[in-house]
Every structure is written in C-alpha cells, then in structure tokens.
Amino acid sequence: MTPEQFRTHAHQLVDWMADYLRDVGSRPVTPDVVPGQIRSQLPTAPPEAGESFATIMADLDQVIMPGMTHWPHPGWFAYFAANNSPPSILAEMCIAALGAQCMSWNTSPAATELEQTVMDWLRQLVGLPDTFTGVIQDTASTATLVAVISARERARERHGNVPLAVYGSRESHSSVSKAVRLAGLGDDAFRAVPVDETFALRPDVLEAMIDDDRARGIIPACIVGTIGTTSSTAVDPIPALANIAEAYGSWLHVDAAWAGSAALLPECRPYFAGLERADSYVFNPHKWLLTNFFCSAYFVRDVPQLIRACSANPEYLRAAHDGEVVNYRDWGIALGRRFRALKLWFVLRSYGAEGIRAMLRQHLELARQFRAWVEQEPEFELMAPSPFALVCFRHHPAGIDEAELDRHNEALLARVNASREVYLTHTRLSGHYTIRMAIGQWQTTEAHVARAWELMKRAVSYEL
Ligand code: PLP
C-alpha cells in the first residue's frame, strides 16, 4: 500500500469508524455466535498474494463484526466499561502512524517528556501530592506486579532472603494474588484478609494476621488496599492501612483501577483519604477516563526503588544523555513501549478537566437514579453500598430459599441479556449471586439506564 493509497483507505476507514461510533447503540450489544463460528469462516492458511483493502473491509464487516462484543455500546453495563473516545481514537491513529518505540528518552525524546508532563497533569487532577511521580503501565495488573516486585526488593534489602507475605482483602482483584505468584513469593504468600459488611478490608484482622506471620519469621512485605473493589466498589480504609504499613515497614500499594477517575471530583475525594501515604498507586484511564486500552497510571513515591527493581542497562541501549533524562524502559516490565502519553494528552486537552468531571458526574447521577429505582421496588434489594457508579442488587421475591434465589437471579440476568439491548454481568457477594449494573460508558444516557431497568422488570414478570 503506497502512502497515497493509504490516504484513500484511511479516509474510508475514518468514515467507517465514525459510522460505528454513531450507530453502535443500534447494534445488538453482544454477538449471537457459537464457539468456532468465526474461525470456521477464516482461511486456515495465510494468503499467498496480497488482497485489496476493499476485500479485507468486506470480511471485517461480514465475518469479524458479527462476532464482536460492543464495549462502546451505550447499553454497556457489564464488568467495568473500558472506554475509548473520539480524541483517544484519533491519537491512537497518530501513534500507529508514528510507529515510535519509546523505551528510552533517546528513542523518542518527545514521547518521554510528554509522558512526564501528562502524568504530572494527571497527578494534579486526582489530588496526589508532588511526592508522587507517574509512569504509564499497560494495565493495572502489570502495575500491581511492579508494586509487589518493588516491595519484595525493598523487604529483601532490609531483611535478606526471608519468607515474605503480601496482604489484600478477600475482595481485592485477582491480579493481586497473581502478582504475588508471578513475583516468585510462593503460592501461599498472599493473605486474603476478611472484609466487613461493606466488603471493605478489616484492619483489625490484618494486624492480627501480620502479628501471626511475624511470630513465624515471615515479613509483611506489602499491603494492598483497594478503592473500588471489582465486585462491589468497596473502599478499604486506607488511613488505617497506612498506619499498619508504617508501623510494620510494609509497602502500601493502592489499587483504584476503575474508581480512581472519580478522584477528579472534589466530592469524591473523601474516598481517597490517606492515599498520600501510599508507596504506590494505580488507576486506569483506560477504564473511566475516555482513553483506549492500554493506559494505566502508576504513581510511586520512591522512584529510585522502582528503577532498582526494574532496570536493565545493556551496552546496546546506552546513550549519551542517560545521566540527565528519564528512561521509562527502567520503570516497568517491558522494554518496548508505545507512545501512550499521546492519547492521554489528546483526551485531557480535548475534554479538559471540566468535560471529564461532567461525564463522571453524569454517571454517578445515573447510578444514583438506578439505585433509587431498586430501593423503591419491594421485591428488589441492594446487595452492597454503591459509593461510585456501580449498583449491586438482586430480585428477592418472598418465600424462596438462598439456593433458589441464586438460580432465579441467574436466569433473570440471562433473560435480560438475551434482549441484546443491554449487557450486565454478575458477581457473588457474601456467597449470594448478585447482578452488577456498572454505569460508565461515555455514550450512556438516562434513556439507556431506564431501558435496562425496564427490561429487568419485564424479565421479572416473564415478559421477556
Ligand atoms: N484492579 C481492579 C480493582 C479492577 O477492577 C481491575 C479490572 O477490572 C483490575 C485491577 C485489572 O485491571 P487491568 O485489566 O488493567 O489489569
């Protein structure tokens, strides 16, 4: 494809993308396919001769699109939304065209310096003090792995090669226990701390668990607190965790993968109290801040510690300015890095802090409204507090036992999702099957939330 042919096809593709974003809400949100259906339509061997762009696009429309789950759909209430947005998509196009590998300052000075700038903008926007420095990681899972590795290194520097433990609540994300395993601390080095009735970590039990470990010669290397757990957006008591971490010399990592964007709102800041005392913090602009995958914001207080844990400095990467610049290849796991700062820059400048705050407030308001509808219906019940824009609930008709209730709600959710107008997913809270209504897609309006509630009520009365 020559640059001129690229120009023609890129214009066609931009039209395709704009149509998609405009019309995605009128598509079924989930595909109607069975396993293997898409693959069976694809050739088993690669093409020997090049094919035209028109042929490839026709197959995109006819073979691939019917198998897509539409995350940008305004009826998206599943998991947590993974947002994109027009400015972010434009930046992604630009990043692809530039094709820069931004591992070092030397390999693209502007990419490094823009990342320094936008991460500092983001730090200010979420109210972190300037004792924190930011770096973009691909995912929160990777950021948490980096935090656990940093904690491991710090504990080993202080205590030598002794057994280490990492603590997080039973509701903490699976990436925490996975990070402990991947960091080589052993399958049993993760301690799942019980939670209270709000699903937040119990600091009294945490302290007892640490004392018990210490009595057996196990060092509490790291405590992971969560602001906005995956199942119910519970908020761990970060000030209490910071007290414990300081008393025992543990690294405090805070995971606010989804809810972290809410810190842009002054009214949500109380949920983030104590964060300034953490050693590291991650939240995902690729969830609730209008920025395409991958873009995780990782903030640390002790940058030299991070670099000690992650740097590799082979001769072939050394460059003249190494002593004066930031080389982000030493701030994470991968060597190669995309120019991710560009999309954050496009997003922050296009919407401004005000535009982002307006979107967040709208989602919080829609969740408040949905929660009120659930509360007003006698046969529905809320299953957890909802500090942000996730509502956890179930249908609870009288006279049904718990096992039956689980089956009933599972069937109810299946009927709602079978409409393919909206998509919700579930979790278990205190062992009970729970429906999650996660609001956060940038094109979602009150009408979409109201429709989800209407479908839920119709499903209850078997009209679906
Ligand atoms: N932490 C929490 C609290 C999450 O909710 C999630 C995903 O939903 C993650 C971590 C994992 O995020 P990522 O996909 O960026 O690794």
Side-chain angles (χ1 to χ4, degrees):
M1 199 183 283
T2 64
E4 280 316 308
Q5 286 169 327
F6 169 78
R7 186 188 308 282
T8 307
H9 299 324
H11 282 297
Q12 292 162 348
L13 190 60
V14 167
D15 282 339
W16 185 97
M17 292 194 292
D19 289 348
Y20 176 74
L21 291 178
R22 185 194 58 202
D23 300 335
V24 61
S26 54
R27 290 175 184 261
V29 58
T30 44
D32 184 18
V33 292
V34 293
Q37 185 174 325
I38 306 300
R39 193 154 185 211
S40 69
Q41 298 173 71
L42 298 167
T44 51
E48 190 59 33
E51 298 178 67
S52 72
F53 186 70
T55 315
I56 298 169
M57 283 305 289
D59 283 346
L60 172 63
D61 282 330
Q62 285 153 30
V63 180
I64 303 299
M65 290 306 281
M68 288 306 295
T69 302
H70 296 292
W71 286 70
H73 196 289
W76 186 272
F77 304 114
Y79 310 104
F80 286 130
N83 269 302
N84 59 8
S85 66
S88 171
I89 296 166
L90 292 171
E92 284 279 17
M93 289 163 65
C94 191
I95 293 164
L98 290 169
Q101 208 281 45
C102 308
M103 59 187 167
S104 309
W105 180 88
N106 190 49
T107 63
S108 257
T112 298
E113 295 187 18
L114 186 65
E115 183 160 338
Q116 290 177 289
T117 299
V118 291
M119 290 309 284
D120 199 60
W121 287 2
L122 211 50
R123 178 191 66 71
Q124 295 171 47
L125 285 171
V126 299
L128 279 179
D130 62 7
T131 42
F132 282 87
T133 308
V135 52
I136 301 177
Q137 305 284 355
D138 51 11
T139 61
S141 304
T142 305
T144 294
L145 175 58
V146 167
V148 170
I149 289 171
S150 303
R152 181 194 69 195
E153 291 306 292
R154 192 174 79 176
R156 295 246 156 100
E157 284 164 19
R158 290 178 181 174
H159 304 282
N161 204 5
V162 292
L164 305 176
V166 176
Y167 309 79
S169 93
R170 283 188 184 155
E171 293 289 323
S172 62
H173 190 262
S174 55
S175 57
V176 181
S177 54
K178 185 170 168 178
V180 176
R181 190 158 38 85
L182 293 178
L185 299 182
D187 283 349
D188 59 352
F190 176 69
R191 307 278 187 270
V193 184
V195 294
D196 64 16
E197 65 291 348
T198 69
F199 304 102
L201 184 149
R202 283 186 52 191
D204 55 329
V205 184
L206 167 66
E207 211 163 352
M209 288 169 95
I210 291 179
D211 286 338
D212 188 47
D213 277 335
R214 276 163 38 100
R216 292 185 295 135
I218 299 170
I219 297 295
C222 183
I223 298 168
V224 180
T226 308
I227 301 176
T229 55
T230 313
S231 279
S232 73
T233 62
V235 178
D236 288 342
I238 304 301
L241 301 193
N243 290 343
I244 296 172
E246 281 160 18
Y248 292 94
S250 310
W251 183 283
L252 176 61
H253 174 62
V254 177
D255 172 7
W258 179 69
S261 298
L264 266 85
L265 301 175
E267 62 271 31
C268 287
R269 280 283 167 79
Y271 295 121
F272 297 84
L275 189 53
E276 68 286 351
R277 294 166 65 195
D279 291 284
S280 56
Y281 173 56
V282 63
F283 85 97
N284 281 349
H286 70 221
K287 281 190 160 64
W288 204 12
L289 209 84
L290 297 158
T291 309
N292 281 69
F293 268 121
F294 290 135
C295 188
S296 264
Y298 181 59
F299 291 94
V300 281
R301 275 201 291 161
D302 188 347
V303 171
Q305 178 71 59
L306 171 66
I307 294 175
R308 278 203 299 285
C310 295
S311 75
N313 206 7
E315 183 57 38
Y316 49 80
L317 292 178
R318 293 202 179 134
H321 294 288
D322 280 352
E324 312 152 51
V325 297
V326 163
N327 283 322
Y328 279 125
R329 66 171 191 259
D330 293 332
W331 293 47
I333 289 170
L335 168 67
R337 306 181 89 243
R338 293 186 83 225
F339 187 3
R340 297 196 179 105
L342 196 73
K343 59 190 166 185
L344 209 43
W345 194 51
F346 272 41
V347 166
L348 295 177
R349 295 187 63 188
S350 298
Y351 290 93
E354 270 180 25
I356 296 169
R357 288 192 194 106
M359 176 200 73
L360 296 168
R361 286 197 173 108
Q362 194 205 358
H363 291 158
L364 293 173
E365 172 55 23
L366 292 175
R368 193 203 54 73
Q369 217 163 64
F370 189 86
R371 196 162 53 236
W373 292 334
V374 173
E375 271 172 327
Q376 281 156 22
E377 256 336 293
E379 284 202 339
F380 279 89
E381 66 180 337
L382 293 170
M383 300 295 282
S386 32
F388 303 104
L390 171 73
V391 184
C392 293
F393 67 100
R394 69 176 175 177
H395 185 232
H396 192 165
I400 305 191
D401 70 23
E402 282 298 335
E404 178 81 32
L405 264 181
D406 284 357
R407 284 193 293 275
H408 171 72
N409 277 280
E410 191 174 350
L412 184 63
L413 181 59
R415 288 202 297 282
V416 170
N417 284 339
S419 73
R420 298 167 70 207
E421 281 187 57
V422 295
Y423 185 33
L424 287 77
T425 48
H426 79 284
T427 189
R428 273 187 190 271
L429 290 172
S430 307
H432 307 310
Y433 190 96
T434 299
I435 301 174
R436 292 169 79 263
M437 174 80 178
I439 298 169
Q441 210 291 326
W442 64 278
Q443 297 207 75
T444 297
T445 65
E446 188 180 347
H448 301 104
V449 175
R451 182 66 182 150
W453 182 233
E454 189 187 331
L455 288 169
M456 192 61 65
K457 289 203 298 183
R458 288 183 56 193
V460 160
S461 50
Y462 292 92
E463 289 168 43
L464 276 184

